[in-house]
Amino acid sequence: IVHAFGGLVVCDSGNHCLRLITKDRVVTLSGSGTIGRTDGAASLAAFHNPVAMVYCSSDNSLYVADKGNHLVRLVDHNGTVHTFLGTGEPGTANGHAASIACLHSPCGIAYHGGELYVSNAGSYTILKVFMDTLMCMNLAGSAGSPGYVDATSTEARFQAPAGMMCDSDGLI
């Protein structure tokens, strides 16, 4: 992701942090570099295998799929890390508020039209988060039902869905 301050932000999964690459150097944007689940200031925060992120210009934040912690983390414009979605316990999120929803190995994340989308690899679903209400719903796939099926919405089946993106029309 190209950061608003003129660099490229990378999930450094093995080092459990986010790195900013500028034309002159590479610096840690957020994360202590050790496995953990700590919210807070950029240098004190801890991730466990951050694997994907999306930039949201409306609040100048990054949303990070923190796979090992089963969370989506928000990194604000100061680099401060906040837990945005999930409890840290593996599970499903359909019909739950973001603060009590359970994710299972989130591996992809996208943002479009005021909604956040998360590929929940361990529960075989694509999750939609309504940012105005912070409620979650399964957009596609069925929790606990892996497979390979082309079908409508929750009749479709995935086996560990990962990377994702939205086009300008909002198609995932």
Side-chain angles (χ1 to χ4, degrees):
I1 291 184
V2 177
H3 192 268
F5 302 114
L8 179 69
V9 180
V10 175
C11 287
D12 189 353
S13 297
N15 284 317
H16 313 287
C17 63
L18 305 180
R19 310 289 293 279
L20 176 64
I21 302 170
T22 67
K23 64 179 182 170
D24 298 325
R25 60 186 303 186
V26 176
V27 296
T28 300
L29 178 67
S30 200
S32 62
T34 59
I35 292 175
R37 183 186 159 191
T38 306
D39 288 343
S43 62
L44 302 175
F47 295 92
H48 183 186
N49 199 288
V51 294
M53 71 189 130
V54 65
Y55 175 72
C56 178
S57 61
S58 65
D59 62 3
N60 196 27
S61 296
L62 293 170
Y63 291 86
V64 181
D66 191 357
K67 181 181 177 184
N69 282 322
H70 309 290
L71 299 170
V72 170
R73 314 288 287 285
L74 181 151
V75 181
D76 69 21
H77 64 281
N78 295 316
T80 304
V81 177
H82 311 267
T83 296
F84 174 76
L85 174 61
T87 63
E89 295 297 319
T92 62
N94 192 35
H96 292 98
S99 61
I100 62 169
C102 293
L103 300 177
H104 194 212
S105 302
C107 286
I109 194 163
Y111 181 88
H112 180 77
E115 313 299 354
L116 190 69
Y117 301 89
V118 180
S119 59
N120 212 4
S123 67
Y124 320 110
T125 59
I126 305 299
L127 184 68
K128 181 176 185 175
V129 181
F130 298 92
M131 298 296 276
D132 57 345
T133 63
L134 298 179
M135 292 299 292
C136 305
M137 69 168 265
N138 280 350
L139 180 66
S142 180
S145 298
Y148 179 73
V149 176
D150 291 338
T152 58
S153 188
T154 57
E155 297 300 314
R157 296 293 177 263
F158 297 96
Q159 180 71 39
M164 61 187 336
M165 63 174 280
C166 289
D167 68 11
S168 60
D169 294 325
L171 297 173
I172 298 175

